[in-house]
């Protein structure tokens, strides 16, 4: 409907501003039927209908020399269809997989040996609920850095690479994370 088209146009504007303008000066990407379909799928499945997450995604691409075709001997530049082809591709971009050979982010980890199994179990459950692509994208480079005993059980501290990622996890995954942590039985609590 109308509202959906407005969102697609907004997504397109952000893409043009953050990415396309750096590839084809003065030329904007356009919305084909295929692109509308792909963008709609990604919008719902991968960006939880949050325009900030889409902007963040476009910013990552816009900072990648590889995606912008600036790597010697690589005759390739990204385009909107390619970038939104699948959830897996979105995850790979969010993970820095196309940032021109810079090291990919580390998988989610736990710095406290006694909670490692429990945290792995939580990530496994989260992956089952939300899909590997989403959990990989949002939890890579996050680390459990501290644990504290509280009357309600153990409270873990999760450090995220950026405030945006932290806010995103809080907004979209915190309830589930708490639930999975309560459910896992590999730790004493």
């Amino acid at each position: 409907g109308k509202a959906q088209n407005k969102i697609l146009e907004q997504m397109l504007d952000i893409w043009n501003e953050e990415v396309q303008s750096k590839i084809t000066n003065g030329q904007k990407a356009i919305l084909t039927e295929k692109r509308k379909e792909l963008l709609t799928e990604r919008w719902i499945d991968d960006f939880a209908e949050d325009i900030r997450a889409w902007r963040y995604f476009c910013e990552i691409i816009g900072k990648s020399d590889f995606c912008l075709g600036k790597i010697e001997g690589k005759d390739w530049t990204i385009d909107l269809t390619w970038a939104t082809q699948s959830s897996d591709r979105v995850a790979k971009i969010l993970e820095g997989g196309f940032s021109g050979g810079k090291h990919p982010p580390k998988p989610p980890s736990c710095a406290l040996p006694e909670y490692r199994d429990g945290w792995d179990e939580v990530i496994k459950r989260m992956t089952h609920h939300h899909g590997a692509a989403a959990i990989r994208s949002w939890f890579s480079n996050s680390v459990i850095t501290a644990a504290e005993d509280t009357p309600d059980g153990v409270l873990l501290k999760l450090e995220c690479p950026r405030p945006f990622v932290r806010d995103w996890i809080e907004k979209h995954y915190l309830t589930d994370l708490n639930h999975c942590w309560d459910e896992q039985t590999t730790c004493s609590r």
Side-chain angles (χ1 to χ4, degrees), residues 55-73:
R55 182 176 290 280
Y56 174 64
F57 173 72
C58 292
E59 281 170 7
I60 289 175
I61 296 172
K63 287 190 181 85
S64 159
D65 286 348
F66 180 78
C67 290
L68 300 179
K70 292 181 180 165
I71 303 284
E72 287 282 315

Side-chain angles (χ1 to χ4, degrees), residues 26-160:
Q27 286 243 256
K28 291 189 180 329
I30 54 170
L31 280 182
T32 59
E33 284 311 309
K34 176 77 184 149
R35 284 173 173 180
K36 282 182 183 174
E37 205 176 296
L38 289 170
L39 278 174
T40 303
E41 276 174 29
R42 300 289 81 76
W43 174 245
I44 295 163
D45 295 347
D46 301 290
F47 298 104
E49 303 185 39
D50 186 328
I51 203 75
R52 293 172 318 148
W54 172 255
R55 182 176 290 280
Y56 174 64
F57 173 72
C58 292
E59 281 170 7
I60 289 175
I61 296 172
K63 287 190 181 85
S64 159
D65 286 348
F66 180 78
C67 290
L68 300 179
K70 292 181 180 165
I71 303 284
E72 287 282 315
K74 276 253 184 276
D75 191 24
W76 179 83
T77 44
I78 201 163
D79 72 32
L80 185 53
T81 311
W82 191 91
T84 55
Q85 198 71 53
S86 66
S87 292
D88 239 34
R89 193 162 286 169
V90 167
K92 197 163 176 186
I93 290 169
L94 285 171
E95 289 167 356
F98 297 101
S99 303
K102 293 195 191 89
H103 292 298
K106 301 177 188 70
S109 67
C110 178
L112 313 168
E114 65 273 34
Y115 297 112
R116 218 161 265 160
D117 290 349
W119 180 241
D120 286 348
E121 181 65 26
V122 167
I123 291 294
K124 207 173 2 197
R125 284 168 187 252
M126 292 291 289
T127 301
H128 180 74
H129 291 301
H130 298 281
I135 296 305
R136 257 197 350 241
S137 313
W138 293 107
F139 286 85
S140 62
N141 281 342
S142 65
V143 185
I144 297 286
T145 54
E148 185 189 328
D149 278 317
T150 72
D152 297 326
V154 177
L155 179 69
L156 296 181
K157 179 181 178 190
L158 179 67
E159 281 195 10
C160 302

